[in-house]
Amino acid sequence: MRPRHFGTAVVAFGLLASLFAASPAAATPDPGADSKGKRVTEDQAADVKAAIKSGEIPGVDEVVHSDNVSHLTNIPKQALKGTNSDLAFQGKYAFAGNYDGFVIYDISNPKQPKTVSQVLCPGSQNDISVSGNLLFLSTDSSRSDNSCNSTTQPATEKSSWEGMKVFDITDKTAPKYVAAVETACGSHTHTLVPERQNVYIYVSSYSPDATFPDCQPPHDGISVIKVPRSAPEKSAVIDFPVLFPDGGNPGAPTNPGVSKTTGCHDITTFPKLKLAAGACMGDGILLDIANPAKPRVIDRVEDNVNFAFWHSATFNERGDKVVFTDELGGGGAATCNAEVGPNRGADGIYDIVGKGDRRKLVFRSYYKIPRHQANTENCVAHNGSLIPVKGRDIMVQAWYQGGVSIWEFTDSDHPKEIGYFERGPISTETLVGGGSWSAYYYNGYIYSNDIAKGFDVLKIDDRRTDSARSVRVPELNVQTQPDYR
């Protein structure tokens, strides 16, 4: 038994659920586990069954949580059967990405969310964000065209399309597709820098190939899109700033087990502080975004011992720390076990020291969930957000089948879990992609988009987090960090 302490040409239209006729698009987790599953060895399967029998881990699909966390409700997948992905929030609505499109929920009563609309628009990952009456979707799968009726097409064909899609969500019951912008290597994720008249979008993508006409190496930067709020149909790429003039981390064989930097996976902006943090495959970076159209790197770090794939970043409330995540195994592997250990597939906590262009990222410690996970459970650090608690640094975070972890890093050197929610393995014999993709705190509640099980609402009751209930924001895109103060 593994020790428990290791834890383990664009047309405007809206497509509602009643119009669904297309079959689901092929769905794979981020960035690509086998959605059909992979059988584990007989010994590993026996180990999983023994762990369940002894009570060391939950049973198949069994829901468990700490005493300070309540599971309020779950809405299973409906018309969209693909992989559930990211979340965004505005007023009384939650917007949930899915590889087949997106869903809008009315969360005015968090205990009983209601489905407002479901939009069929295949194109992984459908990373999602909102600003005002606009909704943005990332397409990082090669498509036959930029419409919501597109089909898969090889990236080796020049006519193939990948990039950003823009919807008008003035009417939440009938979103309208109003613009599309093609970007180099597509859009795996994106990040907003919203201003009064324009929205700037930082588009993260990676893995160029000489055989891809629209994704040529070197791909050592990000696309910057400018979206005029009054005329989103005029959205366009305005620049491609090079973030890694030296090419970034070379990866293997120089750094075995580390991803070569060929772009960024995710960027989080902190507009109030004019800062951004980028997780860029083999590198973590700190950026100055005083001019949002021209972000520039002011510091860069690597971890060639324990980080395999720099995946995402989260600032603390004061903006003097960054939590970077390592998506070891691409979200499709069982890495929350003793074989992998506590420092890989984990979070890296960095303090920001110094001022101006002399600011530096200084490593302090790692955090990984302290709960045993089976070899049939894909589990690794993934998307999370701050819980806006005054005077403390507390975060809620998705760990795929590791569930949802609530943890504190006020002391950068000694992070600790203070609450959790999870389900038991989907299978005792097959490693199947599933679990929480995104877990975010919004206006008093925690919302999780589970790859396989649907939309979950949680609540934490704890003196350490209770003060966050009084904090209200009108809109939340986690990769555009609000100033909670």
Side-chain angles (χ1 to χ4, degrees):
M1 302 293 289
R2 291 181 295 279
R4 189 174 181 83
H5 67 271
F6 272 116
T8 8
V10 179
V11 179
F13 60 91
L15 294 176
L16 305 185
S18 61
L19 303 180
F20 278 82
S23 59
T28 54
D30 170 28
D34 183 358
S35 61
K36 296 179 181 179
K38 178 182 179 182
R39 289 189 68 86
V40 298
T41 66
E42 291 185 5
D43 287 345
Q44 288 174 326
D47 184 30
V48 175
K49 293 172 185 176
I52 292 173
K53 185 175 181 179
S54 69
E56 186 176 2
I57 64 173
V60 172
D61 289 341
E62 179 186 359
V63 171
V64 296
H65 51 79
S66 56
D67 292 340
N68 58 354
V69 172
S70 303
H71 184 209
L72 302 184
T73 192
N74 168 264
I75 299 180
K77 289 183 183 180
Q78 300 163 72
L80 303 179
K81 302 301 183 182
T83 294
N84 280 335
S85 57
D86 212 3
L87 294 167
F89 304 88
Q90 185 182 85
K92 66 177 184 178
Y93 299 101
F95 304 82
N98 179 285
Y99 277 36
D100 288 343
F102 63 92
V103 183
I104 302 178
Y105 296 102
D106 182 334
I107 54 172
S108 53
N109 181 355
K111 295 180 180 179
Q112 294 181 311
K114 298 178 181 178
T115 302
V116 177
S117 58
Q118 301 182 70
V119 177
L120 177 65
C121 196
S124 65
Q125 300 183 135
N126 277 337
D127 190 55
I128 193 168
S129 64
V130 293
S131 184
N133 64 347
L134 299 177
L135 178 147
F136 307 94
L137 279 185
S138 286
T139 300
D140 193 35
S141 59
S142 186
R143 313 296 300 179
S144 56
D145 55 51
N146 63 13
S147 77
C148 286
N149 298 315
S150 68
T151 57
T152 58
Q153 182 169 287
T156 52
E157 294 188 25
K158 177 61 179 174
S159 63
S160 295
W161 185 91
E162 298 178 72
M164 291 298 307
K165 295 169 181 170
V166 184
F167 289 77
D168 186 315
I169 53 170
T170 302
D171 181 354
K172 305 297 188 296
T173 66
K176 296 180 180 180
Y177 183 11
V178 296
V181 181
E182 186 170 15
T183 55
C185 300
S187 175
H188 195 71
T189 66
H190 68 272
T191 306
L192 306 185
V193 186
E195 295 188 335
R196 181 170 296 181
Q197 294 183 334
N198 304 299
V199 180
Y200 292 92
I201 306 177
Y202 296 160
V203 176
S204 296
S205 55
Y206 53 93
S207 296
D209 191 297
T211 66
F212 299 165
D214 299 318
C215 184
Q216 291 285 296
H219 185 71
D220 47 16
I222 58 173
S223 298
V224 179
I225 296 174
K226 182 179 179 180
V227 182
R229 291 188 185 276
S230 61
E233 68 278 3
K234 296 181 180 179
S235 301
V237 175
I238 59 170
D239 201 1
F240 186 87
V242 173
L243 305 180
F244 302 97
D246 65 351
N249 197 316
T254 303
N255 298 314
V258 178
S259 295
K260 178 181 179 181
T261 299
T262 59
C264 290
H265 180 277
D266 213 340
I267 292 173
T268 292
T269 60
F270 202 150
K272 177 73 173 181
L273 300 182
K274 296 180 172 54
L275 279 179
C280 303
M281 304 182 71
D283 295 89
I285 56 176
L286 188 67
L287 302 103
D288 181 306
I289 59 168
N291 181 350
K294 294 187 178 296
R296 60 186 183 85
V297 177
I298 56 178
D299 194 32
R300 171 178 149 195
V301 290
E302 295 179 353
D303 181 345
N304 294 317
V305 176
N306 288 312
F307 262 47
F309 188 91
W310 294 68
H311 177 276
S312 53
T314 302
F315 288 97
N316 68 336
E317 189 172 334
R318 294 176 301 282
D320 57 11
K321 298 178 186 178
V322 181
V323 175
F324 287 104
T325 67
D326 171 29
E327 196 185 41
L328 174 69
T335 71
C336 297
N337 52 33
E339 289 80 4
V340 174
N343 295 335
R344 301 182 66 232
D347 297 319
I349 302 165
Y350 287 75
D351 287 351
I352 301 174
V353 300
K355 296 181 179 181
D357 285 356
R358 295 186 178 182
R359 282 172 287 191
K360 298 291 182 183
L361 293 163
V362 179
F363 173 77
R364 294 303 186 198
S365 65
Y366 297 106
Y367 169 76
K368 193 169 185 180
I369 56 173
R371 289 165 286 111
H372 177 108
Q373 302 297 314
N375 275 326
T376 56
E377 294 180 281
N378 61 311
C379 175
V380 74
H382 212 232
N383 293 356
S385 76
L386 285 186
I387 298 180
V389 179
K390 185 177 180 180
R392 290 178 182 264
D393 298 324
I394 298 179
M395 186 172 174
V396 57
Q397 185 176 10
W399 288 77
Y400 290 113
Q401 284 192 71
V404 176
S405 176
I406 302 162
W407 61 285
E408 181 169 3
F409 60 104
T410 305
D411 180 347
S412 300
D413 296 316
H414 300 96
K416 59 182 179 181
E417 184 171 75
I418 64 173
Y420 70 89
F421 165 87
E422 69 167 296
R423 291 181 171 89
I426 293 174
S427 170
T428 59
E429 298 180 345
T430 304
L431 175 58
V432 183
S436 179
W437 177 293
S438 298
Y440 299 147
Y441 185 92
Y442 176 69
N443 292 353
Y445 296 86
I446 295 169
Y447 299 89
S448 169
N449 212 16
D450 187 290
I451 290 172
K453 302 300 180 182
F455 185 69
D456 289 301
V457 185
L458 313 174
K459 186 177 182 182
I460 180 168
D461 292 290
D462 191 291
R463 60 177 178 78
R464 291 164 290 192
T465 62
D466 286 346
S467 65
R469 294 179 186 173
S470 63
V471 179
R472 290 290 185 270
V473 293
E475 190 172 88
L476 179 65
N477 301 294
V478 168
Q479 285 73 38
T480 304
Q481 201 147 318
D483 179 18
Y484 290 113
R485 295 174 294 175

